[in-house]
Amino acid sequence: MHITDLTSGTLAELRARRPYPAVTVALPVHRRQRLNSEDPVRLRNLVAEAKRRLEADPAVSREARFEVAAQLDRAVAEVDLRRTLEGLVLFAARGENHVWDLPRTVPERVVLSDTFETRNLVAAREQAHPYWVLAVSLNLTTLWSGSYDELRKAETGGFPMEPDITQPDPEHQERVGDRFDPLRGEEARRYFRQVDVALHALLAENPRPFYLVGLPQELSLLEDVGTTAKSAAGRVHSGGLANGPAHALEQELRPALAAEAEHEIDRVTQRIENAQGRKVFAAGLDEVWQTVREGRIDLLAVEDGFQRTVVVTDSHLLPADSEAAVGLAVREDIVDEIIEATLDTGGEVVFLPDGALSAHDHIAAVLRF
């Protein structure tokens, strides 16, 4: 599945406790080297390692071992390494398996637990900046799911949606001399109210920034008859795009997306400056780690490419290659752990371009207290 399919409900299901063992297999893959021969070998080796660990674990019954191993095989059969992105995550447990294709790299690992390890999915979703696009017209309204590297049509939430407009009687029009204008008709207003209601329900279930695309008079009518459309992150005045294609929509959206990205940087920068003045601010990996464990982070800002492998000692973080770290358990994705912990405690996570937080050691937090 693609990371834009990760709704809050899906994440809650994946994170629910399961009868032991629930297996997670994570593998970084070569997105730009489709014929790379290493990826299939490494995937087979990781799955073989997972099966060996299942066999060697005395807590895993023979029946469970066979069933989970079979689920792993089914997950592998779904993988097409010619089309994967940057990271591949497989989940397997009794009676289920899941495959997630992520637009960011993941640490190579096998984990046996009573839950699936979802932090890579959470971090990828936040970093992908998912958004919705509603392409509006009087004849058809379509929904598109976007991330930083892809835009695709989405059939969910009642979309695509077509109007049920009763055509006027031509003879009556001829008698009264009135030209049919669908933008002024009650049928069109009713249709756009239905679009607005469906959009509201969609955002309640899967909240994201959303953009409206359509002719000015159509977008104006949509905003006039409802309330949800008024909160759009951007509007693109261009018609004839309800059926795409995706690349044409992407081209029209670029200025609006760029403007929203700049607005987001300004918003986060201002919050960080205000937090520094009020002394509710943390910066740097170790300090942010301390505060997230206390549940104090209201807003976490992280540079897109920031990752660190560390060990935890005396409640502090040390580089994994330091002398003091010898013999201690390595935490390969501590930044992702901080991200997931922030979200778990109701905080907001924002990814900024590399270098935007260089004055704060690439990671900063606005604290609640």
Side-chain angles (χ1 to χ4, degrees), residues 281-294 296-297 316-317 338 363 365 367:
F281 174 76
L285 199 57
D286 193 64
E287 189 174 332
V288 171
W289 168 252
Q290 298 293 332
T291 55
V292 78
R293 294 170 68 229
E294 298 166 356
R296 297 172 57 197
I297 294 182
H316 288 280
L317 304 181
I338 291 172
I363 185 168
L367 308 180

Side-chain angles (χ1 to χ4, degrees), residues 19-54:
Y20 185 86
V23 178
T24 301
V25 174
L27 174 72
V29 291
H30 297 79
R31 180 179 190 177
R32 294 173 180 83
Q33 301 176 40
R34 296 300 185 196
L35 299 180
N36 189 291
S37 61
E38 295 180 5
D39 290 344
V41 174
R42 288 163 57 233
L43 178 58
R44 285 197 301 270
N45 289 343
L46 278 179
V47 171
E49 178 188 341
K51 291 180 178 178
R52 284 194 298 270
R53 290 177 58 179
L54 286 170

Side-chain angles (χ1 to χ4, degrees), residues 194-206:
Q194 293 172 346
V195 170
D196 190 82
V197 169
L199 178 61
H200 177 80
L202 172 77
L203 295 174
E205 174 69 20
N206 193 347

Side-chain angles (χ1 to χ4, degrees), residues 136-139 141 161-166 180-198 216-227 229-230:
V136 179
S137 78
L138 281 168
N139 301 316
T141 297
M161 185 179 294
E162 297 184 25
D164 183 17
I165 297 179
T166 303
F180 174 62
D181 184 355
L183 285 175
R184 293 188 303 185
E186 182 55 34
E187 293 92 344
R189 296 179 66 85
R190 185 183 306 113
Y191 167 56
F192 278 144
R193 278 195 291 268
Q194 293 172 346
V195 170
D196 190 82
V197 169
Q217 59 269 35
E218 294 169 337
L219 298 188
S220 177
L221 179 59
L222 177 63
E223 295 183 8
D224 181 55
V225 300
T227 58
K230 294 181 175 66

Side-chain angles (χ1 to χ4, degrees), residues 142-155:
T142 55
L143 180 71
W144 300 74
S145 176
S147 64
Y148 76 98
D149 68 341
E150 183 183 37
L151 183 66
R152 56 196 177 101
K153 188 176 288 187
E155 295 186 0

